[in-house]
Amino acid sequence: MSEKMNAVVKTKPELGADWLQVDVPELKPDWVLVKVKAASICGTDVHIYKWDPWSDARIGAHNLPQTLGHEVAGEVVEVGKGCKRIKVGDSISAETHIYDPGDLTSLLGAFHVGNNMKILGVDTNGSFAEYFAVPESVCWVNDTSIPPELATIQEPLGNAAYAVLGEDNDVAGKTMLITGDGPISLFAVGVARACGVARIFQFGKYDFNMEIGKKMGADYQIWTNKTTAKERKEFVLDHTDGFGVDIALEMVGSQDSIDDCFDLVRKAGRVSAFGIPSDSPLPIDYANGIVFKGCQVHGVNGRKLFDTWYRNKNLLANLRIDPKPVITHMFTLEDYKKGFDAMLARPRFSAKVILFPEQAELDAAKKRFGIE
Ligand code: ZN
C-alpha cells in the first residue's frame, strides 16, 4: 500500500477545505485501518467546513490541519496486533463516538456520552479520505446486503432511531411530532413509520425536503414559515382528539421549534431533544411544559451502543425502511466541494450527500439508484 493518500483536509480556520495528499494513518495496536467505500456529509462537517463559531470553539485553529468526515462505510485492510473481533476484509461502519472504556459513564452503559470521548473527524482525523483508522471497539460490522451508500448513513440514521425510540422503544401505535426537514428529521420520519408510529406530524419549511418527508411516511406536514404557532397547535390538537402528541422530536434547535414541542406534547408525554440552538441557553416554559405536564425530556447525543446499530441493521437488511429518498446527491470524494455547495444552498434542495473515493463505487451506486 502506498504511504500517501488523498483526503479532504481542513487546513485554515475559514470557509472551505483542501484536497491534499496526506500520510495514510498509522495503525495502533487495538485500531484497524479501513479503505473507504462511501462517506456521507453530516451537518457537523458543514459547520467545520464553514468554520463557524462552534467549530472554532470545539476544534480550534491550533488543531488544524485535520481530515474531515465521520459517516462512513469501508473495508478493513489491516488490523492492529491487539485486535480480536474485527478481521481484514470485514465491511464496517464506525460508531463515531470513540468512547473511553474505563470511564464510569461508559461502564454504566452510556457509552455515547461518556467522559474523555473523542469524535471521529472532530477530535481526530476523519473519514473523507481513501483510508481512515479507528479503534476496533467502535467498529460495527455491516450486513453484506447493505450497499456502501446505505451503510454510511447508518450513523445519522442512528441519531434518528435513538430520537424516535427513546430509552424505552415504546412508540408503536402512538402519535409523534417531528420538527425540521433536514436529513435526520427525514430519517426519523422513516424510522417512526417502520416502528409502528400511528400518526406522524412533520413541521418544516423547504418544499424539496418536505416532499421527501412525505415519501418517508409523514401523515401531516405543516410549513412553519406559512403558519403561526397558534395555527400549528390548533391543527395538531384537532388531529389528536385535543390530546397533543405522545412524543415530540425537537430536531431544529430554534426557539419556535422548542416551544412547539413542549406545547404540543401531551401530558406525561416525551420530548426528545436533538436540535442544537445557535444561542444557548434558551428559555423554555419549564413549569407548564415539563413539571406540571409530567413530561419526560430525552437528550439525544449520538446513538445507543450498539442497540441502535443493531436495530437499524435489521430494519435496513430486511427492507423495513427505505432511506433512499433522503439520499439526494452522490459525487466522487474529489468533488466534495459540489457536495458541500449542495448542503449549504438555501432554500434547501438537498438532504444526504454521499461521497465515493472511487469512480467505480459511485457508478455502481448510481446504477442501484437507477440514475444514468
Ligand atoms: Zn454526523
Side-chain angles (χ1 to χ4, degrees), residues 187-372:
F187 284 142
V189 171
V191 174
R193 173 56 74 231
C195 294
V197 173
R199 187 167 284 187
I200 303 167
F201 299 85
Q202 186 191 8
F203 288 2
K205 61 179 175 183
Y206 295 116
D207 296 354
F208 181 90
N209 288 43
M210 291 294 266
E211 194 54 40
I212 299 171
K214 205 193 274 176
K215 284 186 194 152
M216 294 305 291
D219 297 296
Y220 297 105
Q221 296 183 304
I222 297 180
W223 272 250
T224 51
N225 49 340
K226 295 177 189 162
T227 52
T228 62
K230 188 165 169 283
E231 286 166 336
R232 294 194 288 277
K233 182 170 186 169
E234 273 169 16
F235 184 89
V236 170
L237 292 181
D238 277 354
H239 290 81
T240 52
D241 300 322
F243 203 45
V245 290
D246 299 305
I247 300 160
L249 311 190
E250 201 301 299
M251 301 197 131
V252 175
S254 70
Q255 183 75 58
D256 283 353
S257 172
I258 293 166
D259 290 344
D260 280 344
C261 287
F262 284 104
D263 195 24
L264 299 180
V265 72
R266 70 160 164 89
K267 286 187 175 173
R270 185 232 306 169
V271 173
S272 281
F274 179 75
I276 300 171
S278 44
D279 292 319
S280 199
L282 279 184
I284 56 171
D285 189 349
Y286 187 80
N288 294 307
I290 299 176
V291 180
F292 296 132
K293 255 190 176 173
C295 175
Q296 292 178 40
V297 182
H298 168 229
V300 180
N301 180 6
R303 298 140 296 277
K304 271 174 127 174
L305 280 59
F306 280 87
D307 181 81
T308 316
W309 287 88
Y310 175 71
R311 290 172 194 269
N312 274 343
K313 181 191 84 169
N314 286 337
L315 290 174
L316 285 168
N318 293 289
L319 309 179
R320 299 296 162 181
I321 182 169
D322 178 11
K324 283 204 195 101
V326 186
I327 296 172
T328 54
H329 295 72
M330 296 195 264
F331 301 107
T332 61
L333 182 62
E334 194 173 356
D335 269 342
Y336 64 97
K337 280 185 186 154
K338 289 185 189 165
F340 278 100
D341 285 348
M343 294 286 286
L344 286 164
R346 292 292 180 275
R348 275 187 199 270
F349 70 95
S350 76
K352 210 64 188 163
V353 177
I354 318 283
L355 304 171
F356 300 85
E358 287 180 12
Q359 182 71 45
E361 292 284 353
L362 170 63
D363 294 343
K366 280 188 166 172
K367 213 168 163 193
R368 285 189 284 270
F369 272 62
I371 38 183
E372 58 30 277

